[in-house]
Amino acid sequence: MNKKVSKIVFVSMSADVIHHGHINIINEAKKYGNVIIGLISDDVISKHKRLPYLNWDQRKKILENVKGVIKVIKQKEWDYVPSILALKPDYLAHGTDWKKGNLKKLRYLAIKALKSYGGKLIEFEYTKGISAMNYSLNQKIIGTSPDVRKSSLKRLIELKKIVRIIEAHNPLSALIAENIYVKEKNFIKEFDGFWSSSLTDSTSQGKPDTESLDLSSRLNNINNIFNITTKPLIIDCDTGGLSDHFALNVKTMERLGISAAIIEDKKGLKKNSLLGNKVKQEQETIKIFSDKISQGVKSRADDDFMIIARIESLILENGMNDAFKRANAYVEAGADGIMIHSKKKDPAEIFEFAKKFKKKFENIPLVSVPSTYNSVKESELIKNKFNVVIYANQMLRAAYPAMYDTGMSILKYERSLEIDKKLAKINDILKLIPGTI
Ligand code: SPV
Ligand code: MG
């Protein structure tokens, strides 16, 4: 028997979209012995790249069936060292891609760990033309299915310290939110999904934020957003309307692939929350609103679709006790999460609510919308146990002054030259549009 066969070769990978590069590495590695894969966990991938298309169990199943792989274990860190020291493989096999860039440090630490017990590093030429980012772009071209999109919000809430959602009022704003990211050391910061805001949807149509757009026009807009994106979406469902209607609408929203509906506990002609008590608006009774939640919950096909109850007690100055009483009732009625809204300039009251709420309901997701208390950092929201942050209207508010100033400049100078330097190059916009090039 070949002496090498009993040796252990460790290969670490994310393997979300399995490609020939993975197979090449495994084929090379198996020449040295039995291959054990350290398959990186979903939460670690989400932190460093983006939410994997396939979850860990699905990726494991595929790799277990690749010839030469004898075992797949979970790698719970980006750093290879803990797996190396636990397994003490004879070899660590890796592509040469980690000699450069951010992965260089991981390579250095892995070599040190291997040396500590006499393990060896083997490196293979990295298969050209492949990168995780290319594959994530491919994923966008491939698209997604309603079910995969729908369930991804719940997965993100389980995996990430905070899920970062941004308002998208049309497909173009959604394309920006889908594609932009900031790279920091080993981390990628990006938006995890979209908020379909009643305020920005209705404002885009020149209508007041009083449930003036019917659900079909809201869903039509979302459908257009879904045509060209893959990330999950939370819909601002205003009051949700009558309970029976809400129950029917849940089915429609779910079928489209929406991940969550947030309904607010107001009644009558709803007005925008940021207007507070300057306009006449009232809270719904706990009983009626709880019933609406239960009917929605009963009506959905599965619990990947989340129904989140939004509490307006602080907005309408009905007090913390009322907010907490309602939170209890809504969770009891089956709400999958709570959004606590506030129009204060600082986050003190929502932090007070969060403290009390999380003491009792540690595992119920809590959502914040820092429109007025916008100095709050995500790290503080995490510290205060919020699970989701929604930037609810910034994309539209950014577009408005830009369009206004452009119009004013053209009027003033009777030409567009002066404003042109502030305008996007047509090519930069077209790059975003799938199918242009
Ligand atoms: C929205 O974006 O429409 C909201 C949040 O409901 S707020 O405008 O703050 O009420
Ligand atoms: Mg709204």
Side-chain angles (χ1 to χ4, degrees):
M1 208 166 90
N2 186 341
K3 234 172 50 201
K4 287 171 187 162
V5 169
S6 58
K7 303 254 175 176
I8 294 292
V9 191
F10 182 62
V11 181
S12 165
M13 54 177 66
S14 306
D16 187 17
V17 180
I18 307 262
H19 52 66
H20 52 291
H22 297 117
I23 303 298
N24 289 348
I25 292 271
I26 293 170
N27 280 344
E28 288 299 325
K30 76 181 184 214
K31 292 180 188 162
Y32 290 78
N34 290 325
V35 175
I36 295 185
I37 305 280
L39 186 60
I40 302 177
S41 61
D42 292 347
D43 58 334
V44 174
I45 298 178
S46 302
K47 206 153 103 192
H48 292 270
K49 298 181 188 170
R50 55 177 292 175
L51 180 71
Y53 192 69
L54 302 176
N55 68 32
W56 192 85
D57 291 322
Q58 292 165 327
R59 292 182 285 125
K60 174 172 181 264
K61 219 175 260 172
I62 296 171
L63 284 171
E64 275 171 349
N65 286 292
V66 174
K67 235 179 170 170
V69 173
I70 61 153
K71 200 167 157 191
V72 176
I73 60 170
K74 194 174 267 188
Q75 185 172 319
K76 293 184 188 141
E77 299 85 9
W78 195 238
D79 180 1
Y80 298 23
V81 170
S83 299
I84 293 172
L85 293 180
L87 198 67
K88 296 212 164 65
D90 300 287
Y91 300 102
L92 169 70
H94 204 287
T96 47
D97 56 311
W98 72 340
K99 285 186 170 177
K100 282 190 280 190
N102 286 334
L103 298 176
K104 230 160 88 179
K105 184 153 181 232
L106 291 185
R107 180 177 184 266
Y108 167 78
L109 294 172
I111 292 172
K112 228 168 106 183
L114 287 164
K115 264 199 188 138
S116 72
Y117 65 91
K120 289 195 176 66
L121 172 66
I122 39 177
E123 287 176 318
F124 311 115
E125 187 62 35
Y126 191 68
T127 310
K128 295 224 161 50
I130 293 166
S131 81
M133 267 306 157
N134 278 342
Y135 268 82
S136 129
L137 280 177
N138 278 346
Q139 186 181 319
K140 279 170 204 159
I141 292 162
I142 296 162
T144 186
S145 71
D147 272 348
V148 168
R149 191 197 294 261
K150 179 178 80 169
S151 60
S152 61
L153 178 69
K154 219 169 186 183
R155 287 179 65 207
L156 282 162
I157 291 174
E158 273 159 25
L159 296 173
K160 296 196 82 164
K161 284 193 180 138
I162 196 149
V163 175
R164 189 184 293 119
I165 301 290
I166 185 142
E167 167 261 323
H169 52 277
N170 63 15
L172 187 61
S173 56
L175 267 180
I176 295 171
E178 169 94 3
N179 287 294
I180 56 173
Y181 62 91
V182 171
K183 214 166 173 183
E184 263 180 24
K185 289 186 204 141
N186 286 326
F187 298 90
I188 299 263
K189 282 204 279 190
E190 63 174 355
F191 292 104
D192 297 305
F194 316 113
W195 168 243
S196 169
S197 151
S198 70
L199 172 69
T200 66
D201 270 14
S202 57
T203 304
S204 302
Q205 305 292 327
K207 294 217 168 138
D209 183 17
T210 52
E211 309 198 49
S212 57
L213 295 191
D214 60 14
L215 187 70
S216 45
S217 54
R218 301 282 309 279
L219 293 184
N220 193 28
N221 190 23
I222 292 172
N223 198 28
N224 289 335
I225 288 174
F226 280 5
N227 276 336
I228 39 85
T229 60
T230 60
K231 292 182 177 178
L233 181 140
I234 304 175
I235 180 171
D236 167 8
C237 255
D238 292 315
T239 63
L242 296 173
S243 299
D244 293 36
H245 293 165
F246 179 59
L248 289 171
N249 292 338
V250 160
K251 291 187 194 298
T252 315
M253 293 188 276
E254 210 179 350
R255 247 191 336 263
L256 196 60
I258 292 172
S259 301
I262 299 193
I263 51 173
E264 61 189 277
D265 57 0
K266 291 218 214 67
K267 68 172 169 188
L269 185 64
K270 181 227 84 160
K271 299 276 171 65
N272 184 268
S273 297
L274 302 176
L275 299 171
N277 283 333
K278 279 190 224 132
V279 290
K280 188 173 158 24
Q281 42 183 345
E282 270 180 83
Q283 249 176 318
E284 186 52 277
T285 66
I286 294 183
K287 191 170 174 311
I288 292 178
F289 196 71
S290 300
D291 178 59
K292 200 182 295 188
I293 295 167
S294 320
Q295 288 212 38
V297 167
K298 265 191 229 131
S299 155
R300 66 186 172 192
D302 65 56
D303 63 8
D304 281 342
F305 182 81
M306 302 172 75
I307 293 175
I308 299 173
R310 160 172 166 179
I311 297 174
E312 294 282 299
S313 309
L314 304 180
I315 291 281
L316 300 175
E317 290 164 23
N318 289 334
M320 190 61 71
N321 283 345
D322 184 69
F324 196 61
K325 195 164 124 197
R326 286 171 177 272
N328 273 288
Y330 302 162
V331 171
E332 182 85 359
D336 303 292
I338 293 289
M339 169 181 152
I340 182 70
H341 205 14
S342 164
K343 58 177 170 44
K344 287 268 158 64
K345 279 246 170 277
D346 72 78
E349 67 176 13
I350 62 141
F351 286 172
E352 186 188 337
F353 177 88
K355 198 168 172 195
K356 212 167 164 194
F357 180 78
K358 282 290 181 172
K359 211 166 171 187
K360 183 152 182 201
F361 302 110
E362 203 192 333
N363 297 319
I364 302 284
L366 193 54
V367 180
S368 66
V369 180
S371 297
T372 50
Y373 53 97
N374 56 11
S375 62
V376 77
K377 299 269 288 182
E378 288 171 6
S379 54
E380 293 173 81
L381 293 170
I382 295 169
K383 216 164 100 200
N384 284 278
K385 303 209 166 114
F386 279 90
N387 306 83
V388 178
V389 55
I390 300 178
Y391 297 98
N393 51 38
Q394 286 76 7
M395 292 300 237
L396 186 78
R397 284 169 57 209
Y400 175 77
M403 291 192 282
Y404 185 92
D405 290 350
T406 300
M408 289 298 274
S409 176
I410 292 173
L411 283 177
K412 185 168 172 195
Y413 297 106
E414 300 179 17
R415 63 180 191 185
S416 65
L417 176 76
E418 285 71 17
I419 196 71
D420 201 71
K421 57 182 175 305
K422 289 208 176 152
L423 305 183
K425 302 266 172 297
I426 281 292
N427 272 352
D428 287 344
I429 301 181
L430 293 186
K431 264 195 289 198
L432 260 184
I433 312 293
T436 300
I437 305 164

